[in-house]
Amino acid sequence: MDLLLRPGARTDAAECGRICFEAFDQIAREHGFTGDLPDVETATGLVDTLLTHPGFYSVTAELDGRIVGSNFLDERSNAVGVGPVTVDPACQNAGVGRRLMEDVMHRAEARQVPSIRLLQAAYHCRSFALYASLGFEFRETMACLQGPPIGSTIPGYKVRPATDADRPACNQVCRRVHGIDRGGEVSDALQQGTARVVEHGGRVTGYATDLAYFAHAVGETPEDLKALIASASAFNGPGILVPASDTALLGWCLDHGLKVTQLANLMTIGLYSEPAGAYLPSILY
């Protein structure tokens, strides 16, 4: 097997997008689930965005001159997030995924980042075994929730669009809860107009970059996240990810009409602190 790993390029978007869709779709259907991406066009758009975003590192795998997979590393904050890592279904179980993972791990090591994180579909036992064999530790199970907008408010909690002036407060909340901030993602969300904050007692106590699969949220308490979730007009992509251990927040979501569509596992290498508050991860971490 003549496998070549090289930096990703925008010209890879169409083929890597096709592989991304087919890989996730096939694995999901094999386990009786729906794939995370609805079609090839959506997958290609996602891959194109990651290939051209300066905050993401990308690697493409070629086998005998043919693209067979890709992987990405979200480097927008101190902790880095892995994925999506995808391999052509015709080449799976041949070590390509391991090589793609080792590449981004070497990248993180060279940059001396304190933590590498990812979320893994709980039904996919092979990928869980791969990540565990590479040294990733299981941290938490997440419930992916989808459903109609809740359209309500939480008394005493005000949700509004975030502004640039909220950036320090958002980073402070994230550091208080996670021990690190995710300022790069907050900056992107402010630019895209999807960021929102929740205020309680006259100050910012939580924020969300969006209420979506590729977005995260942080709050000092579950009430902060309830207010953010209740304000959403939709839950984009497959839905939001709620820690299964946060029974108060998860139960509230279920009581308000959201349904669990699948489970995912948060896994990490390096620095990790048990969250000192409430949070929703993105699918990257």
Side-chain angles (χ1 to χ4, degrees), residues 87-100:
V87 177
D88 193 320
C91 299
Q92 288 182 5
N93 303 315
V96 178
R98 177 176 289 272
R99 290 282 302 278
L100 287 167

Side-chain angles (χ1 to χ4, degrees), residues 20 112 121 221:
C20 183
Q112 298 182 317
T221 69

Side-chain angles (χ1 to χ4, degrees), residues 1-284:
M1 182 174 69
D2 186 14
L3 185 69
L4 170 69
L5 299 184
R6 61 167 175 79
R10 190 169 195 178
T11 51
D12 300 331
E15 187 62 9
C16 288
R18 178 194 66 79
I19 291 170
C20 183
F21 170 74
E22 291 181 359
F24 280 126
D25 186 64
Q26 178 172 307
I27 291 167
R29 285 189 289 104
E30 285 176 355
H31 293 84
F33 288 85
T34 301
D36 293 343
L37 299 163
D39 48 48
V40 174
E41 290 74 24
T42 301
T44 300
L46 169 64
V47 169
D48 183 71
T49 297
L50 300 183
L51 285 168
T52 57
H53 193 298
F56 282 81
Y57 167 79
S58 61
V59 55
T60 297
E62 288 187 355
L63 181 62
D64 298 328
R66 178 172 64 90
I67 293 175
V68 294
S70 61
N71 198 5
F72 299 88
L73 194 66
D74 183 350
E75 300 180 326
R76 290 176 291 176
S77 302
N78 287 332
V80 295
V82 177
V85 52
T86 53
V87 177
D88 193 320
C91 299
Q92 288 182 5
N93 303 315
V96 178
R98 177 176 289 272
R99 290 282 302 278
L100 287 167
M101 283 299 300
E102 289 171 344
D103 184 272
V104 298
M105 291 171 69
H106 292 155
R107 165 78 175 188
E109 182 180 1
R111 294 185 65 241
Q112 298 182 317
V113 301
S115 180
I116 311 173
R117 306 181 181 191
L118 59 83
L119 268 82
Q120 175 266 342
Y123 57 72
H124 193 201
C125 297
R126 293 199 313 276
S127 69
F128 183 89
L130 170 62
Y131 302 142
S133 71
L134 289 169
F136 282 85
E137 297 182 60
F138 167 82
R139 297 298 185 182
E140 172 72 280
T141 294
M142 305 292 166
C144 182
L145 302 179
Q146 185 56 275
I150 294 171
S152 66
T153 59
I154 303 298
Y157 292 79
K158 176 187 175 183
V159 177
R160 61 170 174 80
T163 69
D164 283 338
D166 296 315
R167 195 189 312 259
C170 292
N171 290 338
Q172 184 178 37
V173 171
C174 194
R175 284 192 293 268
R176 187 177 299 128
V177 174
H178 287 300
I180 58 170
D181 69 61
R182 300 178 70 167
E185 293 162 82
V186 171
S187 295
D188 277 358
L190 285 167
Q191 209 168 35
Q192 294 159 7
T194 59
R196 66 198 75 181
V197 296
V198 56
E199 295 177 327
H200 178 63
R203 62 186 183 85
V204 171
T205 53
Y207 74 88
T209 56
D210 199 355
L211 277 303
Y213 206 52
F214 280 91
H216 76 274
V218 186
E220 294 180 0
T221 69
E223 299 304 301
D224 295 305
L225 292 195
K226 289 177 186 178
L228 288 164
I229 294 168
S231 73
S233 59
F235 305 107
N236 296 322
I240 55 174
L241 294 155
V242 176
S245 63
D246 192 340
T247 53
L249 181 59
L250 180 59
W252 179 87
C253 290
L254 296 174
D255 288 344
H256 284 78
L258 301 188
K259 297 184 183 301
V260 177
T261 59
Q262 63 170 300
L263 301 176
N265 294 317
L266 173 64
M267 304 180 77
T268 72
I269 287 178
L271 177 70
Y272 180 79
S273 301
E274 287 296 325
Y279 74 105
L280 308 179
S282 76
I283 191 57
L284 297 180

